[in-house]
Amino acid sequence: MFMTLLNSQLIPDESLSLSLLPSCRDHQQALADRLSLSNQLAGSQDELPVRRMKDSYIEVHLPLGTDPTLREKYLNYHKGVRFGRILEDLDSLAVLICYSHTHNKALQRSPLSIVTALVDKIDMRKQVIHPDCDIKFTGHVTWVGKTSIEAKMHMSQYHDGAYTPVLDATFVMVARDPENKRAAFVNPLKPEGPEEEELFQQGEINKTRRVELSTASLLKVAPTAEERKIVHSLFLNTLDTKTVSFRSRVLPPNSVWMEDAKVKGLEICHPQERNIFNRIFGGFLMRKAYELGWANACAYGGCRPNLVAVDDILFQKPVEIGSLLLLSSQVCYTEGNYIQVRVHTEVLDPLTRHHNTTNVFHFTFVTDKDVPNIVPKTFHTPLHFATSLYC
């Protein structure tokens, strides 16, 4: 199996030397060398051999129980495991799974650049992750298109003499050429048996759902009748009956204005966090977004929140080294003791002052007590609220 565990980040052996290069100049030279691999790309998917799901199966162990140095990196101040580190490992594992699926024994190096397109869903099956017990990751490809790959992964932890499930994750990756400029074909997948057929069909359903959601985005089409009704109801509930003015609004009891439930952050993107393509590692972005979202949920609920699910993490643009990365978290929906947080990241060009969106993240947390209701005050905040009802 062509993988290694380096600083808890799983990377292909072919990129191991790249990740250890001492300078950006060497790194740029290595990337230039990859240009020669372009002639090894397939002209069509039909040229590539069919793969089975078991061809991409990977199992990786994280020895938190026996490696104190590694454990220190994952430990949080609540004496639990930093979930942001787990997100980094899942992202790296998804890349490895895809490289396993597309591996060609006749080639010394893969001509493909595998990058994360989106995190479809992460469902938590257990809220407590022990910092002193070994963790096991498993996963394989479950669906492929012409240039995209769906990888499902499972994480379990050894506790009380047995491994118990912790989470299930679904990532969608895309294959690009060696310069990461255009799409590249990947090996087709042939499911074997009823169980694999079901996984493959679920991948088709997931693809259809994503297409439907993208076309129904409130940024592209007008709100539906139901969404308009929600927005109007929210407006009426906050209207000052004494003045009956659009500008005069009243906050209902046990509520917080949505504009007052924001936490922001800034990251300077250093070379330390680069991937083999000399851009910022996607897992690092997920970790930073999660930690900001968790902090917002903690401040909003007034107690420590636990993650329930991760939905719809979109990777719209790569983040270059040296970028100023602005992160903005917003509580966008609450119900009982549940808090949904949306984190938006964008790159600021200090010379032009232009902002470009790179990622959007959605996290759902649960707390030990009910939290105040979140109430939008302007038109664009009700849209976040209405959208969250369907996440």
Side-chain angles (χ1 to χ4, degrees):
M1 193 65 67
F2 59 110
M3 63 182 178
T4 188
L5 186 60
L6 177 65
N7 295 331
S8 82
Q9 293 181 6
L10 299 163
I11 56 176
D13 278 351
E14 67 175 68
S15 66
L16 179 57
S17 60
L18 297 182
S19 67
L20 295 177
L21 287 175
S23 69
C24 287
R25 180 179 299 177
D26 291 337
H27 200 103
Q28 292 289 353
Q29 180 59 48
L31 291 175
D33 293 341
R34 283 183 58 83
L35 294 179
S36 62
L37 303 176
S38 296
N39 58 6
Q40 298 175 3
L41 291 172
S44 70
Q45 193 175 44
D46 296 335
E47 298 177 16
L48 298 169
V50 175
R51 298 284 192 244
R52 301 165 296 177
M53 290 190 185
K54 64 182 180 182
D55 293 332
S56 61
Y57 178 82
I58 289 180
E59 179 176 314
V60 177
H61 292 259
L62 198 63
L64 297 184
T66 56
D67 189 337
T69 303
L70 184 64
R71 185 189 310 146
E72 185 71 16
K73 184 177 180 180
Y74 282 77
L75 187 67
N76 64 28
Y77 76 98
H78 292 294
K79 296 184 179 180
V81 170
R82 296 174 60 185
F83 190 75
R85 294 293 188 195
I86 300 300
L87 288 175
E88 288 183 322
D89 290 338
L90 288 171
D91 190 55
S92 296
L93 180 60
V95 172
L96 267 183
I97 288 171
C98 294
Y99 273 119
S100 297
H101 176 79
T102 59
H103 182 51
N104 185 343
K105 295 180 180 179
L107 301 178
Q108 278 191 322
R109 304 174 65 191
S110 173
L112 298 177
S113 301
I114 305 292
V115 297
T116 308
L118 64 92
V119 178
D120 189 79
K121 195 171 185 64
I122 299 177
D123 287 319
M124 301 300 298
R125 301 178 64 179
K126 184 181 177 183
Q127 291 186 357
V128 178
I129 305 177
H130 302 280
D132 55 352
C133 297
D134 289 356
I135 287 175
K136 179 173 67 175
F137 295 97
T138 60
H140 60 84
V141 170
T142 53
W143 174 88
V144 299
K146 289 188 179 297
T147 62
S148 57
I149 303 175
E150 180 187 270
K152 285 190 180 294
M153 294 164 288
H154 309 281
M155 171 181 154
S156 57
Q157 187 166 45
Y158 191 80
H159 186 64
D160 291 336
Y163 277 100
T164 56
V166 175
L167 63 80
D168 303 312
T170 303
F171 281 49
V172 177
M173 320 298 286
V174 292
R176 312 281 291 177
D177 68 357
E179 295 183 86
N180 196 16
K181 290 184 177 180
R182 61 183 178 86
F185 293 106
V186 298
N187 301 68
L189 179 66
K190 181 180 180 180
E192 297 178 330
E195 184 176 348
E196 291 190 2
E197 287 283 356
E198 184 177 350
L199 287 173
F200 190 87
Q201 289 302 317
Q202 185 59 52
E204 290 285 355
I205 293 172
N206 292 342
K207 177 189 175 183
T208 302
R209 172 177 53 81
R210 289 191 293 268
V211 171
E212 291 175 349
L213 286 175
S214 66
T215 56
S217 169
L218 291 171
L219 297 176
K220 297 180 180 179
V221 298
T224 64
E226 184 179 0
E227 289 165 344
R228 291 195 298 269
K229 184 177 179 181
I230 291 172
V231 172
H232 189 248
S233 175
L234 290 169
F235 169 72
L236 292 179
N237 288 338
T238 60
L239 188 64
D240 188 347
T241 56
K242 295 179 180 179
T243 62
V244 196
S245 169
F246 282 93
R247 293 187 177 183
S248 183
R249 310 286 293 282
V250 177
L251 185 65
N254 190 35
S255 300
V256 176
W257 290 123
M258 189 177 286
E259 62 185 21
D260 296 327
K262 295 180 180 179
V263 176
K264 297 186 177 183
L266 168 68
E267 289 290 333
I268 302 175
C269 299
H270 297 290
Q272 178 185 1
E273 307 300 340
R274 68 188 175 194
N275 58 23
I276 63 172
F277 311 117
N278 213 32
R279 291 189 169 101
I280 298 301
F281 173 46
F284 170 78
L285 301 175
M286 285 195 286
R287 173 164 65 87
K288 289 300 180 179
Y290 166 78
E291 290 175 351
L292 186 69
W294 183 93
N296 196 353
C298 183
Y300 185 87
C303 59
R304 180 188 174 190
N306 289 308
L307 183 69
V308 176
V310 180
D311 298 276
D312 300 329
I313 295 180
L314 303 177
F315 289 79
Q316 298 183 9
K317 290 183 179 180
V319 178
E320 304 291 342
I321 293 173
S323 297
L324 298 180
L325 184 69
L326 305 177
L327 301 95
S328 178
S329 67
Q330 168 78 74
V331 175
C332 56
Y333 183 71
T334 58
E335 184 174 327
N337 62 337
Y338 287 88
I339 305 171
Q340 188 170 84
V341 180
R342 178 182 185 269
V343 180
H344 174 267
T345 63
E346 59 185 6
V347 168
L348 167 65
D349 187 328
L351 300 180
T352 64
R353 308 295 296 174
H354 289 164
H355 294 246
N356 290 309
T357 296
T358 57
N359 305 87
V360 180
F361 308 81
H362 295 89
F363 303 102
T364 302
F365 299 93
V366 64
T367 63
D368 294 333
K369 60 181 182 180
D370 287 352
V371 299
N373 297 316
I374 196 73
V375 180
K377 197 174 185 178
T378 60
F379 178 74
H380 74 279
T381 45
L383 295 186
H384 290 322
F385 184 93
T387 303
S388 299
L389 294 175
Y390 305 100
C391 289

